[in-house]
Amino acid sequence: MDLKRVAKDTAKVLASYMTYQALRTVVNQLRETDPPRALWLQSFSSQQSIQDGDAYLEELLQAKPELALRIMTVRQHIADEVAEFLPEMVCTTIQQSNIEHRRRHLERITQFTLPDNPTNSEQKTDSDT
């Protein structure tokens, strides 16, 4: 397993997710201060994939640089605020999730179900009486 590659891919996914969160924040701010720009940004974002945050920002920089710069600023702020807690939270979340999955799996595999039909030994004792 290439742990450096895993870390790099994870960082890219997190950066894209923070871009998405920054976009949501900026759209909400614009709804209150500049509704036409908020609509434009929503429309642009529905036509461009936000899955890759860097590619999305490149497209936005070409269309409306001031909005792209604003989203990048908000994204940086989110990253700065979250970075301190993220490693511990990710590990804790994965541990708790794994425990819950294992618990449910153990419950499923250890469930004892009674058969609908009585066994032969039960039938013999009933007929003997």
Side-chain angles (χ1 to χ4, degrees):
M1 176 184 299
D2 184 2
L3 293 179
K4 286 184 180 181
R5 184 70 180 153
V6 170
K8 187 176 179 180
D9 291 347
T10 302
K12 184 173 175 65
V13 169
L14 286 173
S16 290
Y17 182 72
M18 289 180 192
T19 303
Y20 165 74
Q21 288 297 332
L23 168 64
R24 287 182 54 195
T25 300
V26 169
V27 166
N28 286 335
Q29 291 169 346
L30 288 173
R31 278 190 190 130
E32 294 181 18
T33 60
D34 193 350
R37 284 178 82 192
L39 287 173
W40 184 91
L41 185 55
Q42 282 183 302
S43 175
F44 175 86
S45 299
S46 69
Q47 296 169 7
Q48 304 295 325
S49 175
I50 189 88
Q51 192 76 22
D52 181 346
D54 289 331
Y56 171 82
L57 287 170
E58 279 298 319
E59 293 294 323
L60 187 57
L61 274 167
Q62 292 177 13
K64 298 269 187 188
E66 70 282 356
L67 287 176
L69 293 170
R70 184 170 175 174
I71 289 171
M72 287 189 282
T73 300
V74 172
R75 176 175 78 161
Q76 182 65 52
H77 175 74
I78 292 169
D80 291 342
E81 293 296 316
V82 170
E84 180 182 339
F85 307 106
L86 196 56
E88 183 180 333
M89 289 179 74
V90 168
C91 289
T92 301
T93 300
I94 288 172
Q95 287 171 346
Q96 289 173 343
S97 175
N98 286 349
I99 288 169
E100 184 62 23
H101 285 296
R102 287 179 177 125
R103 182 190 62 77
R104 279 192 249 130
H105 176 69
L106 184 60
E107 286 176 352
R108 274 195 306 274
I109 65 173
T110 59
Q111 280 182 337
F112 181 72
T113 56
L114 293 172
D116 291 337
N117 298 330
T119 62
N120 288 340
S121 62
E122 290 175 355
Q123 289 176 349
K124 286 181 183 176
T125 54
D126 288 343
S127 62
D128 290 343
T129 31

